[in-house]
């Protein structure tokens, strides 16, 4: 019998983008026997990947050619694919990324005059079912890996040409072009994906790489109480809490996780357990919903609830979506609400709605792409 010879199969390349230094070191130990040399390789890779945005081993000129060839057969440095990109009139850029398993996630770049923020996702979909949030209507839910979280950041650096701008800084643009802040306010609940979010933050904060200071990274949570203290202590980043209501009966509906950890438990943990550092404040997000949570009494109650806790309140005009049961509060109502808070000496900016023409509210791009496919 004749045996058919098949050509050698290329081993499945492992993606190393978004792996931590420890994981990279383990991999490099297979190529360099001396531990010192292995850690030197990690430093080299780190710098190419996170300071220069290099995605091909061929360009890593300080690594000898033989080793580069070997690395190429085992590893890749790949980003999530941009499935859709929409740029708003105000410069807000929304990405829909397609992951290796075909899951879709959203990332939004929000440029301002003096800073630019990247809003990233921590999960595909979300389990929390907040009644005003579009992401909660999506069925499929899974945690993102640290690699997929970092992949969003790197893919946006690539797409916007930020690697070069990072070095030159000043440009002609009216917007601040490098990313100065990262917020976990995209799809998902970051504190329900704690370990992967923590690993991703450690990569973002690495001072030989992307070098974001802990003060420029914000985790936004609907209120996973035991994890808030942990994140603040272990990761050290800023905390934002999606409060949205001042009474349990309203919050139970808007943010159902309130039935597990109610307002009293949430706020007493923030006041007693979380040890804020110098000049640090907790940000409270409060979405303004017409006739639901926007009365003067709500504003006064909000001030009372936050007494004794260094905080700032972010009033968010509701970003409407088709099928939603809520309406945005009027501008007059939002201003009156803000004035009450400011009188109490709490900072309270009204978040300028960004990217409204491209449906930049949480989860909207992904859902619209699913609808588009369904109607083909
Ligand atoms: N799960 C986390 C982070 C994701 S949501 C959290 O709950 O904080 C990020 C922020 O966007 C939250 O404050 C959320 O309440 C808000 N948000 C979601 N949908 C919105 C909408 N349609 N309009 C305005 N804000 C919205």
């Amino acid at each position: 019998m004749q045996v058919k010879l098949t050509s050698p199969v290329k081993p499945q390349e492992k993606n190393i983008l978004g792996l931590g230094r420890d994981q990279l070191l383990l991999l490099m130990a297979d190529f360099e026997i001396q531990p010192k040399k292995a850690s030197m390789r990690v430093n080299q890779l780190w710098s190419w990947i996170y300071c220069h945005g290099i995605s091909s081993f061929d360009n890593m000129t300080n690594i000898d050619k033989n080793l580069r060839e070997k690395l190429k057969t085992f590893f890749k440095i790949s980003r999530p694919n941009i499935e859709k990109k929409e740029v708003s009139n105000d410069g807000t850029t929304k990405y829909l990324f397609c992951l290796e398993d075909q899951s879709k996630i959203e990332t939004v770049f929000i440029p301002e005059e003096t800073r630019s923020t990247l809003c990233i996702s921590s999960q595909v979909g979300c389990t929390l079912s907040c009644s005003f949030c579009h992401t909660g209507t999506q069925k499929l839910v899974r945690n993102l890996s640290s690699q997929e979280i970092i992949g969003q950041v790197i893919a946006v650096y690539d797409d916007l040409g930020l690697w070069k701008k990072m070095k030159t800084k000043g440009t002609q643009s009216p917007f601040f072009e490098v990313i100065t802040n990262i917020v976990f306010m995209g799809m998902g609940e970051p504190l329900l994906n704690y370990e992967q979010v923590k690993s991703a933050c450690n990569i973002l904060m690495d001072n030989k790489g992307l070098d974001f200071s802990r003060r420029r990274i914000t985790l936004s949570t609907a209120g996973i109480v035991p994890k808030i203290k942990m994140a603040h202590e272990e990761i050290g980043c800023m905390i934002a809490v999606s409060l949205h209501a001042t009474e349990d009966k309203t919050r139970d509906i808007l943010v159902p996780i309130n039935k597990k950890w109610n307002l009293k438990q949430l706020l007493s943990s923030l006041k007693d357990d979380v040890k804020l550092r110098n000049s640090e404040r907790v940000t409270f997000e409060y979405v303004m919903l017409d006739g639901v949570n926007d009365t003067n009494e709500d504003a006064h109650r909000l001030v009372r609830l936050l007494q004794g806790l260094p905080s700032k309140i972010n009033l968010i005009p509701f970003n409407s979506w088709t099928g939603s049961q809520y309406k945005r509060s009027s501008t007059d109502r939002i201003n009156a609400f803000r004035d009450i808070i400011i009188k109490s000496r709490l900072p309270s900016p009204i978040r300028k709605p960004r990217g409204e023409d491209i449906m930049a509210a949480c989860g909207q791009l992904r859902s619209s792409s699913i609808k588009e496919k369904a109607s083909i």
Side-chain angles (χ1 to χ4, degrees):
M1 199 177 81
Q2 229 186 349
V3 180
K4 204 173 163 196
L5 287 173
T6 51
S7 58
V9 185
K10 208 177 169 212
Q12 182 89 50
E13 298 150 345
K14 181 179 169 65
N15 189 13
I16 61 168
L17 183 82
L19 291 184
R21 280 181 180 271
D22 292 358
Q23 290 163 297
L24 271 185
L25 188 61
L26 277 178
L27 296 178
M28 288 309 108
D30 286 342
F31 298 88
E32 300 285 4
I33 306 157
Q34 293 174 19
K36 257 193 168 167
K37 266 202 136 176
S39 78
M40 178 191 80
R41 294 299 178 208
V42 172
N43 289 338
Q44 288 171 326
L45 286 173
W46 201 267
S47 169
W48 286 119
I49 297 173
Y50 299 112
C51 297
H52 302 279
I54 298 297
S55 58
S56 157
F57 292 100
D58 291 333
N59 297 332
M60 300 186 173
T61 45
N62 59 357
I63 298 180
D64 65 76
K65 208 155 179 267
N66 278 343
L67 180 57
R68 270 188 267 161
E69 290 303 320
K70 276 193 223 158
L71 292 177
K72 254 164 72 178
T73 58
F74 291 98
F75 306 123
K76 60 183 176 180
I77 309 166
S78 77
R79 288 81 163 118
N81 286 326
I82 299 176
E83 170 141 333
K84 197 167 177 181
K85 172 183 167 184
E86 293 187 2
V87 184
S88 159
N89 302 330
D90 64 15
T92 302
T93 305
K94 182 151 181 164
Y95 296 90
L96 182 71
F97 286 117
C98 183
L99 307 176
E100 279 191 2
D101 68 349
Q102 305 305 309
S103 292
K104 311 283 192 299
I105 51 164
E106 298 174 0
T107 307
V108 187
F109 173 70
I110 308 158
E112 290 169 89
E113 276 170 35
T114 54
R115 59 188 223 158
S116 285
T117 303
L118 191 68
C119 174
I120 60 178
S121 295
S122 56
Q123 295 182 310
V124 175
C126 188
T127 51
L128 296 182
S129 305
C130 297
S131 54
F132 59 91
C133 176
H134 204 255
T135 306
T137 65
Q138 296 164 2
K139 294 273 169 311
L140 193 82
V141 183
R142 75 162 172 87
N143 282 337
L144 293 183
S145 65
S146 150
Q147 296 195 266
E148 291 166 327
I149 297 172
I150 291 295
Q152 299 169 62
V153 180
I154 301 294
V156 174
Y157 269 64
D158 286 357
D159 185 62
L160 299 178
L162 299 184
W163 300 107
K164 277 198 201 98
K165 287 175 188 158
M166 209 160 101
K167 285 174 201 125
T168 53
K169 299 258 154 86
T171 60
Q172 303 301 313
S173 163
F175 296 126
F176 208 83
E177 287 189 296
V178 295
I179 295 169
T180 54
N181 295 63
I182 304 253
V183 295
F184 284 79
M185 291 183 189
M187 294 162 67
E189 168 53 50
L191 296 187
L192 289 180
N193 185 16
Y194 185 80
E195 287 305 326
Q196 298 300 314
V197 166
K198 182 179 163 187
S199 306
C201 288
N202 285 335
I203 295 174
L204 294 173
M205 292 189 290
D206 189 293
N207 62 8
K208 296 261 166 42
L210 293 166
D211 197 20
F212 284 91
S213 93
R214 61 174 191 87
R215 285 188 169 265
R216 296 197 173 271
I217 301 177
T218 302
L219 291 189
S220 176
T221 178
I224 311 298
V225 169
K227 291 281 165 64
I228 297 179
K229 175 179 183 316
M230 215 168 144
H232 183 261
E233 266 171 23
E234 293 184 357
I235 307 175
C237 57
M238 301 297 108
I239 301 292
V241 175
S242 294
L243 200 67
H244 305 320
T246 56
E247 293 178 299
D248 283 326
K249 64 176 195 289
T250 314
R251 196 165 191 267
D252 279 350
I253 296 167
L254 297 180
V255 187
I257 197 72
N258 193 65
K259 292 181 203 150
K260 184 150 185 191
W261 292 287
N262 64 20
L263 280 167
K264 191 159 184 275
Q265 289 166 306
L266 173 63
L267 291 164
S268 59
S269 167
L270 287 168
K271 286 177 192 173
D272 303 335
D273 306 337
V274 177
K275 303 282 172 260
L276 294 177
R277 303 170 182 99
N278 274 350
S279 74
E280 219 175 82
R281 290 166 191 271
V282 178
T283 300
F284 288 93
E285 293 155 284
Y286 197 97
V287 65
M288 296 298 290
L289 302 169
D290 184 39
V292 176
N293 61 358
D294 62 351
T295 62
N296 287 350
E297 290 72 52
D298 280 306
H300 288 296
R301 249 194 315 267
L302 180 56
V303 170
R304 277 200 302 277
L305 282 177
L306 302 186
Q307 247 160 28
L309 179 63
S311 34
K312 59 182 169 205
I313 300 168
N314 228 321
L315 297 180
I316 315 174
F318 174 59
N319 222 331
S320 186
W321 40 276
T322 321
S324 138
Q325 53 181 310
Y326 299 108
K327 267 179 42 202
R328 176 186 294 184
S329 308
S330 70
T331 308
D332 286 352
R333 183 86 298 272
I334 298 176
N335 288 340
F337 197 99
R338 178 207 48 199
D339 290 345
I340 293 173
I341 295 165
I342 287 179
K343 268 201 196 113
S344 79
R345 304 222 181 110
L346 275 174
S348 175
I350 296 173
R351 197 185 286 170
K352 216 166 111 197
R354 299 293 304 262
E356 286 194 285
D357 51 327
I358 57 165
M359 300 184 296
C362 208
Q364 290 185 328
L365 191 63
R366 174 171 178 259
S367 296
S368 76
S369 101
I370 291 168
K371 272 191 217 120
E372 253 170 45
K373 282 206 184 107
S375 63
I376 290 171

